[in-house]
Amino acid sequence: MAAQLSGQAAAVTDTTIVRARIHPGIGVARIGDSTSGFFIGPEVTEPPPLPAADYRDSSGTILRQVARFRVYGYNAAGQVVAELTEAQAQVTWTAHLVARKAQWYQFQAAMDLVESVALTVTRRNPDVPYAARGELAIDPGPRSISGVNVSGAAYQFNTGTFKQTTTVPLGELQTDSAGRLLVFGGTGWSESPSGAPVYIDSIPGSFNNANDWFDDTSDGSVDATVVMNGVTIPCEGAWVIVAPPDYGPAMVGWRTMDDMMRDVWMAAGWLPVPATPSFTRDILPVLRRLTGLQWVNAGFAAMFGAGGPLDFNNQDLIAKLAAAPDAATKADPYHELRNTLLNSFRPYQPTDNNPRPWPWLYGDAYGFVDAAPNSNLALSAQRQLMMQRWAAGTFVADWQPGYIPPQSLDDVPLAEQPGMLDQSAMHFCLADAFHPGCEMTWPMRHATLYTSPYRIRRRPEGWQEPDYGKTLDQKTALQPDGPLAGQQPGDITRWMALPWQGDTAYCRSGYDPQYDPYVPSFWTARVPNQVLTQDDYKIVMDATQPMAVRIAAFNRRQQWMRPIDTPDVAETMMRMIANFGAMGIVGPQPGPTDTDEFPNTLFVETQGTFQDTPMLQAAALATATPSVYQRAGFQDEDHWEAARRTRVRAR
């Protein structure tokens, strides 16, 4: 049976809704330590950047990012007829969040790499027998909700326990004024009930894999029962990921999760490979994202930032790169410029681990097999093909300098809204490096994980996962009926670091300072490396200062980790656990108006209030004397820094 809806756009002549889908197909909520507010995750790919203060509450703690889900109705031809809110239908939402990290295997490296052929990893909490390992999963069961502006204790994921002794809330459900679903994640609670160490220096494998620890990241299914005029409409479900905070919310990674997923689906034949690349869609982001990272990494700022030799925000430079060969004369004045830029990138399937080619980001094998070509990030097959065609002059010259992209979903035509929601949620997640990553990790690049673009393949109701054994190897991980063949709630995030704060604290940049102290980098778009501080921003804005002083302040980027960094790995992790909500968020502030030496908008770090811990005080470390490092067992700061880098590389 079907349902009829009136008042649709003229372009859709058949307004009979025969099915529905939830969008985004994969939504992203993020942890925050605030309990007094929230914000909705991005719903377009280029939203206007919000000030950093908009991501904190009045006390300075980080707001939770909420994943908002909508239902769209489709006709028999697959056309979008309408968004189905409570004004058109009765929608009952059901979601199920689960945290399974402690129940799963250790993360040491992406298990689908050539370098991982001989890799075998043990279970986390290996002393817990298989029959009792269900107690390591935090599973409160599903929750259902319907109506407008609904919230309350009945919709909270607050009954799951760790080891049957510690109740760990994972978030809650609410609805908005139209009856859309809002999924909240946790508040950043990471802990060991027994007080077990978060990292044991003598056991390198313990990094990312703390025994007897939990955190409140999670994932799970999102479904809806849709009734129109008494008729139940089939509705395709979605998935939600609860990830760590985004400390650079306006930054876009050089290779987004959406980029990677589209590569997977093109390789699987689910999406077409564009015959002719669009400069605006396929080429410009590859270049402009390098410039965007200037606000979170000093190396990118020096080369690609404002005033740098390759500022890809420079309109004159972009105009040259966007100019196609003349159709009549075949004149191509910028062919060599395009070809030079193409050759600056690390090619698909590189044969060495030279760190010099762009994009100056680590690959999956870094820290596992550093000499391997996969230790640095390369172009994907599809991205390289698009850039080769562009360099050869075969591309659509569609750049419009004054174009303003949609600023909200209301600016997007109805037919394009579902796709925009799907894409934008993944656009602000990172694909690389999967070590293990920020939001999701290496299983996401396997087509077996999906039924179609943006749709996670699910295990049947009541399915019981088999015992893969005390250890997991590549063959088992990748077998056709193995852990990548389908998912149940909690299966996506179980591959991630435990607790997430430790990995966030230590996936940094410039691990070989003899080569460069700032590049390559790991996840700089989500976890900044070096930032423009408030103090330096004030100098830049001070028109009474000499210009040389202002320029020096603009270029003087400080380490993002400086408030909590210590000579001891475990101590720094514990500081991050206690203070993740105070760490700096990079957001826009107005640039100077008295000179054109600086950009019109500067992205500046804003911090919260840091807590004291029983360990060394962050303020003391900011002005640390050699005695601080000597008390920690090192001769001086240089020896501490060398030891820290060695530990991270060996993790």
Side-chain angles (χ1 to χ4, degrees), residues 478-548:
L478 302 181
Q479 67 188 24
D481 59 346
L484 306 188
Q487 306 300 295
Q488 60 181 343
D491 282 1
I492 300 294
T493 53
R494 65 181 175 176
W495 301 89
M496 304 300 289
L498 176 63
W500 66 266
Q501 289 98 332
D503 207 32
T504 296
Y506 272 99
C507 277
R508 308 183 187 180
S509 66
Y511 285 116
D512 183 4
Q514 292 183 338
Y515 167 66
D516 191 283
Y518 303 119
V519 296
S521 175
F522 262 106
W523 308 324
T524 186
R526 302 280 75 81
V527 183
N529 305 140
Q530 297 87 33
V531 295
L532 179 62
T533 66
Q534 288 290 336
D535 288 343
D536 283 333
Y537 172 68
K538 292 175 182 177
I539 296 173
V540 172
M541 297 297 292
D542 187 353
T544 67
Q545 294 282 352
M547 185 56 66

Side-chain angles (χ1 to χ4, degrees), residues 628-641:
V628 172
Y629 299 95
Q630 289 171 352
R631 288 198 300 272
F634 300 93
Q635 295 179 26
D636 52 33
E637 183 175 0
D638 290 340
H639 285 80
W640 161 57
E641 179 67 13

Side-chain angles (χ1 to χ4, degrees), residues 363-628:
D364 292 350
Y366 187 80
F368 180 56
V369 181
D370 287 352
N374 284 325
S375 61
N376 289 289
L377 187 59
L379 292 168
S380 70
Q382 289 84 355
R383 181 166 274 180
Q384 178 166 289
L385 177 62
M386 294 298 100
M387 294 201 71
Q388 286 172 335
R389 290 175 176 173
W390 167 69
T394 303
F395 64 97
V396 179
D398 54 359
W399 180 56
Q400 301 177 33
Y403 172 70
I404 299 176
Q407 302 291 283
S408 72
L409 197 65
D410 292 337
D411 299 330
V412 179
L414 174 66
E416 300 173 18
Q417 287 181 11
M420 176 62 80
L421 288 169
D422 290 344
Q423 185 177 3
S424 60
M426 296 295 96
H427 184 71
F428 289 93
C429 295
L430 299 186
D432 307 289
F434 286 143
H435 204 288
C438 281
E439 298 91 4
M440 296 160 274
T441 188
W442 64 271
M444 307 307 294
R445 60 178 168 219
H446 289 263
T448 57
L449 206 75
Y450 310 94
T451 56
S452 62
Y454 302 107
R455 302 291 155 173
I456 299 294
R457 184 183 303 277
R458 300 189 188 188
R459 296 292 189 183
E461 190 72 25
W463 177 83
Q464 295 293 317
E465 187 164 53
D467 181 2
Y468 297 119
K470 294 182 178 180
T471 61
L472 185 70
D473 58 18
Q474 185 181 82
K475 181 180 179 180
T476 303
L478 302 181
Q479 67 188 24
D481 59 346
L484 306 188
Q487 306 300 295
Q488 60 181 343
D491 282 1
I492 300 294
T493 53
R494 65 181 175 176
W495 301 89
M496 304 300 289
L498 176 63
W500 66 266
Q501 289 98 332
D503 207 32
T504 296
Y506 272 99
C507 277
R508 308 183 187 180
S509 66
Y511 285 116
D512 183 4
Q514 292 183 338
Y515 167 66
D516 191 283
Y518 303 119
V519 296
S521 175
F522 262 106
W523 308 324
T524 186
R526 302 280 75 81
V527 183
N529 305 140
Q530 297 87 33
V531 295
L532 179 62
T533 66
Q534 288 290 336
D535 288 343
D536 283 333
Y537 172 68
K538 292 175 182 177
I539 296 173
V540 172
M541 297 297 292
D542 187 353
T544 67
Q545 294 282 352
M547 185 56 66
V549 172
R550 297 170 73 183
I551 293 174
F554 177 76
N555 291 326
R556 184 172 51 240
R557 307 298 165 87
Q558 298 291 332
Q559 296 291 341
W560 181 74
M561 280 294 299
R562 69 195 183 283
I564 63 172
D565 217 359
T566 79
D568 183 79
V569 173
E571 181 174 331
T572 299
M573 288 182 177
M574 294 300 293
R575 285 183 170 278
M576 185 67 178
I577 290 167
N579 290 288
F580 80 88
M583 295 299 292
I585 295 176
V586 177
Q589 297 193 36
T593 57
D594 66 303
T595 175
D596 58 3
E597 187 69 39
F598 307 100
N600 294 330
T601 301
L602 308 181
F603 286 80
V604 186
E605 176 200 54
T606 301
Q607 296 177 335
T609 302
F610 289 86
Q611 303 176 28
D612 247 349
T613 71
M615 305 170 188
L616 295 175
Q617 293 193 19
L621 281 172
T623 56
T625 64
S627 62
V628 172

